[in-house]
Amino acid sequence: MINSNNRKLCLSGWLMEHGAVVYNSPLKLQKFLLMYEAFSKIAGEEADFSNLKGYKRGPVFSTVFGDYTHDRIEFDFVAKEAYSSGAIKINEDRAALCHFIVGTLSEEELSELTHKLRLWNSHRERIMRGEQQVSLCEDDFDQNDANMVNLLGCMYPLDMVRNSSIVSIDKHYFVFSNDDISRLTEQHFDVLDQLIHVEELHNPVYVEIDDEGRLLVD
Amino acid sequence: MKVPYPDIQSDLAVTSHMYICRNNSHPHYEFIKCQRYKPYMLIRYIMVHYLDEDSDLTRNPFRKLTRIDCDKLFVTNSVVYSDTMKTERRPDVCQELYDVVLTELMTDGYEEIALDESGLVDINDGGSNEQET
């Protein structure tokens, strides 16, 4: 039996369809859902922080986690159905932004990022002590959290989100324009592989290909 | 400005960032690095002195939210820089921002980093060695 509410099922269904790689990571699915609710809240729109618990790797929507972990096949089916039904209107731009954020950071970085939120951090001691089922509530999400999430949103202009493709190599996420991605050669992949071993790179790693085929790395 | 990686052939990959020029008393140049704002800056407080600037043509040429790293100063002593290397949207930052950048830079000192000068000349169209000009 699936206990997740319709909103979370629709959002999960959206991610399954538009970002299967991210969806297949339980942690990244949770971060995607959290980001979507946080952006909804700071936009002054309906947000759903129900059944949110503090885990060591950050906030977790416990019903979604239970369904996804213990009954994955049914969860996938119901989430897909819920999204297809269009029962909940999803803000496509916001979902794409959240997918981009979650898709271009490692699980460790996403955990660290959500640890910065007062929503989780105000309960840090209890959570890290190993206490189970520490409830996090919407009121814990304060102005500092709103500022941080807002800043995160400012890093990713929508046209860039819409016109980019991601190449991931060993927890490094390289962002190319859709035009450049088709120009990538095997040698470029070799260079990226070399880069991650000899340079300190920070996700997301933005890369352009210049006229001479050289990678310009930001 | 493109800067070579120490361990990667520069015809394969280079880093590319904007820099604010502090000192242009030829042939000695000093630069302050401007980086695209990234999430790690929210997670780890690596920089002590910095300024965050949103895109604003009345103040700067940045296209995106940018962090100006005032902990470091990059220097060259023999490279000649062409004006074509300046950003097109506007070639500078406003005086107010420039003054604050210098104040941040001078607070608690900074690390001075010598750039690979021959590498710079090889990969930047507007750069050349002093002897060549």
Side-chain angles (χ1 to χ4, degrees), chain A residues 105 109-110 112-113 116 148 151-152 154-157 160 187-188 191 194-195 198-206 208 210 212-218, chain B residues 2 5-17 34-46 52 54 63-65 67 122-125:
Chain A
L105 292 174
E109 289 168 327
L110 287 164
E112 285 183 72
L113 195 62
K116 291 289 175 190
M148 189 179 114
L151 194 54
L152 201 55
C154 291
M155 295 180 209
Y156 309 106
M160 188 270 289
Q187 186 186 42
H188 287 134
V191 175
Q194 199 181 344
L195 264 177
V198 296
E199 287 296 328
E200 185 186 9
L201 302 173
H202 296 291
N203 287 323
V205 185
Y206 297 93
E208 291 176 35
D210 72 9
E212 293 153 28
R214 174 170 41 206
L215 301 178
L216 307 180
V217 183
D218 180 359
Chain B
K2 298 167 196 163
Y5 284 114
D7 299 312
I8 304 270
Q9 277 178 252
S10 58
D11 58 338
L12 297 177
V14 296
T15 65
S16 180
H17 290 108
C34 307
Q35 306 178 63
R36 186 195 301 238
Y37 205 102
K38 290 192 182 186
Y40 80 93
M41 296 170 185
L42 293 172
I43 299 171
R44 280 164 249 130
Y45 304 113
I46 294 170
D52 294 336
D54 214 339
R63 290 184 185 277
K64 300 170 187 76
L65 181 60
R67 174 161 290 189
D122 286 343
I123 59 177
N124 288 285
D125 288 341

Side-chain angles (χ1 to χ4, degrees), chain A residues 85-149:
Chain A
S85 75
I88 302 288
K89 184 167 167 44
I90 292 176
N91 182 319
E92 292 284 334
D93 290 345
R94 186 174 301 151
L97 169 65
C98 296
H99 176 218
F100 188 89
I101 293 170
V102 174
T104 56
L105 292 174
S106 68
E107 292 191 351
E108 291 76 12
E109 289 168 327
L110 287 164
S111 281
E112 285 183 72
L113 195 62
T114 52
H115 284 174
K116 291 289 175 190
L117 294 171
R118 184 174 176 274
L119 177 70
W120 182 91
N121 201 23
S122 58
H123 305 279
R124 170 187 283 272
E125 283 184 19
R126 290 172 60 200
I127 296 165
M128 296 314 274
R129 231 182 10 234
E131 190 174 328
Q132 304 287 312
Q133 301 292 317
V134 176
S135 291
L136 311 184
C137 64
E138 190 172 343
D139 289 346
D140 294 332
F141 187 94
D142 68 1
Q143 191 55 46
N144 285 335
D145 289 357
N147 292 345
M148 189 179 114
V149 171

Side-chain angles (χ1 to χ4, degrees), chain B residues 5-32:
Chain B
Y5 284 114
D7 299 312
I8 304 270
Q9 277 178 252
S10 58
D11 58 338
L12 297 177
V14 296
T15 65
S16 180
H17 290 108
M18 286 188 198
Y19 291 82
I20 296 169
C21 185
R22 182 181 82 153
N23 185 337
N24 61 354
S25 39
H26 175 79
H28 182 71
Y29 288 84
E30 298 173 343
F31 300 99
I32 298 146

